Amino acid sequence: MLKGKTRMLIAIAMLSSISFVLMLLAFPLPVLPAYLKVDFSDIPALIAAITMGPIAGVLVAFLKNVLDWLFSGSPTGVPVGHMANFVTSILFITPVYLIYRKATSSKGISYGLACGTISMAIGMSVLNYYVFLPMYAYFLNFPMETGTALFNSIIFGILPFNLIKGILVTVVMIVLFKRIKPLLDKVTHSFGTANIN
């Protein structure tokens, strides 16, 4: 049992490191605001959730953001962007885990990723409207968008960005899944009772 927990902690640390590196490779989308950047750092967190349970996935998402904050800092002084990224990961990972747990197949992972994309897009639209964009404005001492301007920022910026990001991550994850499914099954089985639920 202790050996299994130790292996799991090592796996979480490794996946967090990979996730952090992927976060550094973020890139903007040409038609959307430059501050919105796509990265594939949720993929290691997804793998952690699938193989070791949802808490493992959340830990990977948390640790990658802590590492990135320590390495890159934050323009606000407060890690608002990292908090938003962490919440985004949870909104994306949770549906994937819940659905894949019921259907451990390509169809299950595809359906889970689709639901995760919708959850992330809608959830972050609401949270940016009420929480994260006001926080950015407050800490950067910028005038806060309100009314139609704020609504348009969400509908024409945040919402399509998260949909596109979810689709890109989904495509990469499905391609990877087909190649590493036997390994995922083996790793999941090896952790057994050490699974973090």
Side-chain angles (χ1 to χ4, degrees):
M1 182 71 172
L2 183 60
K3 187 177 179 182
K5 291 286 187 183
T6 302
R7 282 207 317 269
M8 184 175 296
L9 291 173
I10 293 170
I12 289 171
M14 289 176 61
L15 288 168
S16 299
S17 300
I18 295 169
S19 191
F20 164 61
V21 171
L22 291 173
M23 202 171 179
L24 294 175
L25 302 176
F27 57 92
L29 295 171
V31 295
L32 294 173
Y35 68 86
L36 296 172
K37 294 184 179 181
V38 173
D39 64 71
F40 296 99
S41 63
D42 283 332
I43 290 176
L46 276 171
I47 292 171
I50 288 169
T51 57
M52 294 176 279
I55 294 177
V58 170
L59 281 172
V60 170
F62 175 74
L63 290 171
K64 70 157 181 176
N65 277 290
V66 170
L67 289 170
D68 190 72
W69 181 36
L70 294 173
F71 184 82
S72 303
S74 170
T76 62
V78 176
V80 179
H82 295 94
M83 287 188 281
N85 186 283
F86 177 59
V87 174
T88 300
S89 297
I90 293 174
L91 288 170
F92 187 59
I93 291 167
T94 303
V96 180
Y97 168 76
L98 292 173
I99 293 169
Y100 183 75
R101 185 177 63 172
K102 302 294 184 183
T104 57
S105 62
S106 295
K107 186 176 180 180
I109 196 74
S110 299
Y111 184 57
L113 288 163
C115 291
T117 297
I118 294 168
S119 167
M120 175 177 65
I122 294 174
M124 289 311 295
S125 294
V126 173
L127 288 169
N128 270 289
Y129 187 90
Y130 288 106
V131 181
F132 294 120
L133 288 180
M135 285 178 71
Y136 268 117
Y138 175 79
F139 287 114
L140 290 173
N141 199 26
F142 283 170
M144 176 63 197
E145 286 184 328
T146 57
T148 303
L150 178 57
F151 183 77
N152 287 340
S153 291
I154 300 297
I155 296 300
F156 299 111
I158 303 295
L159 180 61
F161 167 77
N162 281 301
L163 286 171
I164 294 168
K165 177 182 175 180
I167 290 167
L168 291 174
V169 172
T170 293
V171 170
V172 173
M173 186 63 190
I174 288 173
V175 171
L176 279 176
F177 181 82
K178 290 178 179 180
R179 296 177 180 274
I180 65 174
K181 175 70 162 63
L183 178 61
L184 290 178
D185 291 338
K186 183 178 179 181
V187 171
T188 303
H189 179 73
S190 73
F191 285 124
T193 55
N195 194 289
I196 299 180
N197 293 307

